[in-house]
Each structure stands twice: as C-alpha cells, then as structure tokens.
Amino acid sequence: QQPVQSPQAVILREGEDAVINCSSSKALYSVHWYRQKHGEAPVFLMILLKGGEQKGHEKISASFNEKKQQSSLYLTASQLSYSGTYFCGTRDGNSGYALNFGKGTSLLVTP
Amino acid sequence: EPEVTQTPSHQVTQMGQEVILRCVPISNHLYFYWYRQILGQKVEFLVSFYNNEISEKSEIFDDQFSVERPDGSNFTLKIRSTKLEDSAMYFCASSEALHLARVHTDTQYFGPGTRLTVL
C-alpha cells in the first residue's frame, strides 16, 4: 500500500525552510527518501530504519515516528538546487525488499 | 563513484513488438530491481531479482514481462508484446545485499532510466 505524502507542492524562496511528510497505514521497517529532478533518476537522500538508525546526507535531516508510521524530511535554508520532486519509499511487512513510493512532493525554490 | 547504467536512454517501438531494456548494476551489488514511472506519476515497483531468480514481483509484472541476468554484469527486462500503456520511464536499481537479513535496510541506487514510447 502506497504511503501518503504531503504537501503535494511547495514553493519557497531561497533560504526558507520546508517540511515534507510521509505517512503509512502499515507498520514500517524503513523509510527511504529520494529527490528526482525532471527527466532524471531518483537520487537517494536518506534512509530511516525502525529502531532509530539513519543513513544519509549530512545536510538533510529527517525523522521517523514509528508509532505514528510517519516520517518527515526537513529542508533547511533551501538552495535553488533543492528544487525537484521528493518521494518517500517505504518498506512494510508485506512489501518485502521492494519500495512502495508515494506520489511525490514537488518543491520549487525561487531566487 | 560507481553508478547504475541503463541502455538505451530512449526506445521507441510499435505496439506488439518486443523490447529489451538493459541495465548494468553497481558491480558489487547482488540485489536488482526494475521500477517504472508513467509520466507525471509515482515510481512503481515491478520486480526484484536475487541469486539468479525473481525474489518478488508486483501485479504489474505479468506474463508479458521477464527478467534475466545473461552474464555477470547485465540485468535485462524484456517486454514481449508491448502495449500503449507500457509507455513509461523504466528504472533499474541495485543494492548491496551483503546481509540478507538486512536487505530491507539497504539503499537502492537508481539508474538514469530508459524512456519507452510505444506507438
């Protein structure tokens, strides 16, 4: 079952902050965040694991609330290069090793 | 930095024709995946492959699809009789899978994709 992302779209000015949320109705093993620029492959940003372990970029932070089955990606002091579509991919007990992706959040950072 | 590569970058075919999409996963990775993304929509899982066999597949991956690892480096997706609705970007991904018990924690690295257009 696919996770639900919010908001669908965000427009920021350079330097502003944003939070992108990802929630699931199922118990999750892990949440994976990717950024995709138009016409390109999704690029890995961050993985959050059940139990609190995290792997990812130093400049990007995220949280994973296991009880609520929610994850949030925090983009601080946004740069023009942050523009793109952000997808969360989740693994639950039924998805095996495949990732179930949300519909994405489109982020546009303007000068 | 090692990366997943895919060929061709764009494939145009006639409905009913067979296509083969090729991927070279990162060399020390053992778990391979195919995903597709219809224009403007989310990325959808098709199939995963480990130890020369399919590990999981989605409902999308029906009998018209097949995967193969013909040699030590390539991983292919074959679509036997293409339909208009198969038009999409197809992404290959790979992950290390050093410890099977922790594959669900592995990062999946995506290739640049093959844009398939079925006319």
Side-chain angles (χ1 to χ4, degrees), chain B residues 5-9 20-23 113-114:
Chain B
T5 59
Q6 291 185 242
T7 54
S9 56
I20 297 176
L21 310 183
R22 290 182 168 80
C23 167
T114 293

Side-chain angles (χ1 to χ4, degrees), chain B:
Chain B
E1 187 175 327
E3 56 184 21
V4 177
T5 59
Q6 291 185 242
T7 54
S9 56
H10 193 182
Q11 174 92 46
V12 181
T13 189
Q14 295 290 327
M15 191 169 57
Q17 294 296 304
E18 175 182 287
V19 295
I20 297 176
L21 310 183
R22 290 182 168 80
C23 167
V24 179
I26 294 173
S27 62
N28 63 334
H29 284 190
L30 301 176
Y31 229 104
F32 315 122
Y33 310 82
W34 283 102
Y35 291 84
R36 79 172 185 191
Q37 186 178 32
I38 295 170
L39 188 63
Q41 299 187 24
K42 71 182 181 82
V43 176
E44 300 175 291
F45 168 74
L46 293 177
V47 65
S48 63
F49 192 85
Y50 174 78
N51 200 24
N52 284 319
E53 59 183 21
I54 290 174
S55 177
E56 306 162 78
K57 58 182 181 179
S58 71
E59 293 174 352
I60 303 168
F61 193 87
D62 60 22
D63 291 343
Q64 68 163 148
F65 292 94
S66 63
V67 289
E68 193 178 29
R69 187 149 165 84
D71 53 46
S73 59
N74 289 283
F75 178 51
T76 62
L77 174 69
K78 182 192 290 186
I79 309 175
R80 259 179 277 281
S81 178
T82 50
K83 306 171 191 168
L84 295 176
E85 54 266 36
D86 293 329
S87 294
M89 182 73 92
Y90 287 80
F91 292 107
C92 172
S94 69
S95 63
E96 272 191 315
L98 289 178
H99 306 286
L100 276 185
R102 287 182 60 84
V103 169
H104 66 279
T105 69
D106 281 352
T107 298
Q108 292 183 17
Y109 294 92
F110 282 72
T114 293
R115 180 165 296 286
L116 177 66
T117 302
V118 182
L119 303 176

Side-chain angles (χ1 to χ4, degrees), chain A residues 12 14 16 19-20 24 28 34 38 45 53-54 66 70-71 78 90 108:
Chain A
L12 296 176
E14 210 171 356
E16 292 182 337
V19 180
I20 300 173
S24 173
L28 299 176
Y34 289 82
H38 183 69
L45 296 175
E53 185 180 351
Q54 295 186 12
E66 294 176 40
Q70 289 178 349
S71 177
S78 58
T90 59
L108 176 64

Side-chain angles (χ1 to χ4, degrees), chain A residues 5-109:
Chain A
Q5 287 186 236
S6 63
Q8 285 186 320
V10 183
I11 300 177
L12 296 176
R13 288 194 181 276
E14 210 171 356
E16 292 182 337
D17 302 338
V19 180
I20 300 173
N21 300 302
C22 173
S23 64
S24 173
S25 58
K26 293 196 168 189
L28 299 176
Y29 287 142
S30 59
V31 180
H32 305 237
W33 286 97
Y34 289 82
R35 177 172 59 217
Q36 184 181 33
K37 293 186 181 284
H38 183 69
E40 299 180 9
V43 173
F44 169 74
L45 296 175
M46 171 78 70
I47 179 172
L48 300 109
L49 307 173
K50 191 175 179 180
E53 185 180 351
Q54 295 186 12
K55 295 188 288 185
H57 286 245
E58 293 176 0
K59 294 187 178 180
I60 292 177
S61 63
S63 63
F64 180 22
N65 185 325
E66 294 176 40
K67 286 184 180 177
K68 292 185 178 180
Q69 310 306 334
Q70 289 178 349
S71 177
S72 295
L73 185 71
Y74 304 99
L75 302 167
T76 56
S78 58
Q79 304 171 16
L80 297 176
S81 61
Y82 286 10
S83 293
T85 300
Y86 289 77
F87 290 97
C88 70
T90 59
R91 286 194 176 110
D92 57 44
N94 293 324
S95 64
Y97 302 144
L99 290 174
N100 293 317
F101 284 95
K103 290 187 176 180
T105 296
S106 176
L107 176 72
L108 176 64
V109 181

